[in-house]
Amino acid sequence: MSGESAQTRTGPMQPHDFWQEIYPPKSFDIQAGYRDFFPVSLGDGSQILLPIRPLSDGKHALASMIVNQASFAVEDALATELAAKLAPYEPEVVAGLPTLGLTLASAVARKLGHSRYVPLGTSRKFWYVDDLSVPLSSITTPDQKKRLYVDPRMLPLLEGKRVVLIDDVISSGTSILAGLTLMETCGIEPVAIGAAMLQTERWRQPLADRAPQWPERVAGVFQTPLLTRNEDGSWRGA
C-alpha cells in the first residue's frame, strides 16, 4: 500500500492519533513516500505509525516516538517484545532512564516477572548525594542542564545484580551514555541496554567509543532511518 493510499485509508492523521493503534502486517509500505507519518513494524509484522519531525536543514527528518503518549495496547506490545529480547540476558533488575524511559522500564520489568524496578531521576531529593550523579542532556532537550541521579537507597537492589538499562528512544546516544556512566559510578556494568526505538545509527559510534561490546548489547523493538525529502515534498527512508 502506498503512502498516499494509506493516508487516505486512515484519514488525516491528527497529532493525538499517533502511537494509538496497532495495524495488521503489511498495512503500509515502508519504502513509500510519506508526508505526515512513517510506519514501523514490530517483530510479528504488525505496524504502528510515527509522526515525522523535519530537521532544521529542511532536507531531513526523524520519525518520533513518545511512549507515555501511546495507547495502553501499543505500550503493552512494545514492552512485551522488548522484554522478550532482553530475557536471554537473564536480567535481575531493570533500571529506567528519565523521563520517558521510566514508563517503558516499569512495563518491561513487569513482563520479565519482576516485582519492582529502579527509576533513575533528574530531581534531586535532599538525601541524594552528588557523587551518585552525572550530567545529562538529550536530543529533545539539548539546552536543559540536568543531572542524572540514583537514589542511594536503591543501591542494594543494583549491586551484584544483572542489570538492564532502559530508555524509550536511543538517538544520539548521549542519554544512554550518561546512564552507563552513572552505573559505572555505582560499580555496576549493565548486561544489556533496551529501548523501544533505535533512531538512526548515530548512537552506534558513541557507544562503540565507550566500549566495543556496547552496540551489540543494545536491544530495540524497531529501528528508524534518517528520512530524506523527495522532490514532491514527501519523505523516504535512506
Side-chain angles (χ1 to χ4, degrees):
M1 184 176 292
S2 71
E4 290 300 322
S5 61
Q7 193 167 6
T8 300
R9 177 188 127 171
T10 60
M13 293 292 293
Q14 300 298 319
H16 57 272
D17 291 330
F18 290 105
W19 319 300
Q20 301 306 305
E21 186 172 350
I22 300 175
Y23 296 89
K26 299 182 180 180
S27 291
F28 308 101
D29 177 5
I30 61 173
Q31 302 302 319
Y34 291 91
R35 297 187 182 277
D36 299 314
F37 62 81
F38 184 79
V40 294
S41 298
L42 305 184
D44 63 357
S46 61
Q47 295 179 302
I48 60 175
L49 300 182
L50 309 181
I52 294 173
R53 311 293 190 195
L55 300 179
S56 59
D57 65 4
K59 299 178 181 179
H60 299 95
L62 296 171
S64 173
M65 177 78 198
I66 303 180
V67 73
N68 68 353
Q69 292 182 7
S71 68
F72 296 139
V74 169
E75 178 189 317
D76 186 72
L78 296 174
T80 297
E81 185 160 336
L82 185 55
K85 290 188 173 185
L86 291 171
Y89 293 95
E90 300 180 340
E92 298 173 286
V93 182
V94 172
L97 282 166
T99 300
L100 300 179
L102 300 182
T103 297
L104 184 61
S106 175
V108 169
R110 293 188 184 203
K111 296 293 183 182
L112 289 169
H114 297 180
S115 61
R116 65 187 300 178
Y117 81 113
V118 174
L120 307 179
T122 55
S123 176
R124 191 187 191 283
K125 310 306 180 185
F126 71 84
W127 63 86
Y128 285 14
V129 294
D130 289 337
D131 288 347
L132 295 178
S133 71
V134 296
L136 175 68
S137 64
S138 72
I139 190 171
T140 53
T141 56
D143 299 325
Q144 293 186 22
K145 295 182 178 180
K146 306 177 186 177
R147 293 192 71 81
L148 180 66
Y149 296 91
V150 59
D151 189 328
R153 301 178 305 169
M154 298 293 103
L155 288 181
L157 300 177
L158 297 166
E159 293 171 339
K161 301 295 178 59
R162 296 179 63 82
V163 177
V164 293
L165 187 62
I166 290 182
D167 205 353
D168 63 323
V169 175
I170 299 179
S171 183
S172 66
T174 302
S175 296
I176 206 70
L177 284 172
L180 289 174
T181 301
L182 182 58
M183 291 293 98
E184 182 180 1
T185 299
C186 299
I188 298 158
E189 181 177 314
V191 295
I193 293 167
M197 178 167 77
L198 305 178
Q199 192 178 61
T200 76
E201 296 276 347
R202 291 177 299 168
W203 54 272
R204 285 190 175 274
Q205 192 58 53
L207 263 67
D209 290 343
R210 174 75 180 226
Q213 72 271 19
W214 277 119
E216 303 309 314
R217 290 193 196 175
V218 174
V221 178
F222 57 83
Q223 185 163 342
T224 58
L226 179 67
L227 301 174
T228 302
R229 188 184 292 275
N230 293 318
E231 292 184 1
D232 65 359
S234 64
W235 301 95
R236 60 180 170 81

